[in-house]
Amino acid sequence: MSMNELLKSLSDPTRRKILNLLKERDMAVKEIAEHFDITLPSLSHHLNVLKQSDLVTYQRKGQELIYSLNMSVFEEAAAFLINFFKK
């Protein structure tokens, strides 16, 4: 994951809202969709962007995909930003 990909992923308000939802708990796609007034294909696009930047992971449970945050990427980004702003 490059910092450019990460920042691009975070630049969209819908993706930031998805991340905030997943901060509370892991969620199925249907549960995430309940919080948005967008089509499922549009939600799928946002989830794919988050997957490609490794911000989220997912597991298949039966018919459902359960999404969760990939905290290691957030830790790497925080470390980068801390080091960037150090004097």
Side-chain angles (χ1 to χ4, degrees):
M1 171 232 23
S2 74
M3 191 55 60
N4 288 342
E5 290 172 353
L6 175 69
L7 294 174
K8 182 179 176 185
S9 296
L10 293 173
S11 70
D12 185 272
T14 299
R15 291 193 284 270
R16 289 194 306 269
K17 185 175 178 180
I18 292 169
L19 294 171
N20 274 316
L21 290 169
L22 294 175
K23 186 171 63 171
E24 300 299 320
R25 64 182 175 86
D26 297 351
M27 299 177 96
V29 174
K30 290 179 186 178
E31 293 175 290
I32 296 169
E34 292 172 0
H35 297 271
F36 297 92
D37 189 24
I38 59 176
T39 64
L40 282 178
S42 182
L43 179 60
S44 179
H45 165 75
H46 288 294
L47 289 168
N48 281 327
V49 170
L50 293 171
K51 284 190 295 190
Q52 289 174 358
S53 60
D54 290 329
L55 289 168
V56 299
T57 60
Y58 69 94
Q59 288 185 330
R60 181 172 294 279
K61 288 190 179 177
Q63 296 277 347
E64 294 184 313
L65 295 178
I66 309 297
Y67 283 86
S68 58
L69 291 181
N70 182 358
M71 292 308 295
S72 63
V73 172
F74 287 98
E75 291 165 359
E76 289 174 28
F80 170 83
L81 292 171
I82 288 168
N83 286 328
F84 181 80
F85 288 107
K86 277 187 180 178
K87 291 185 178 188

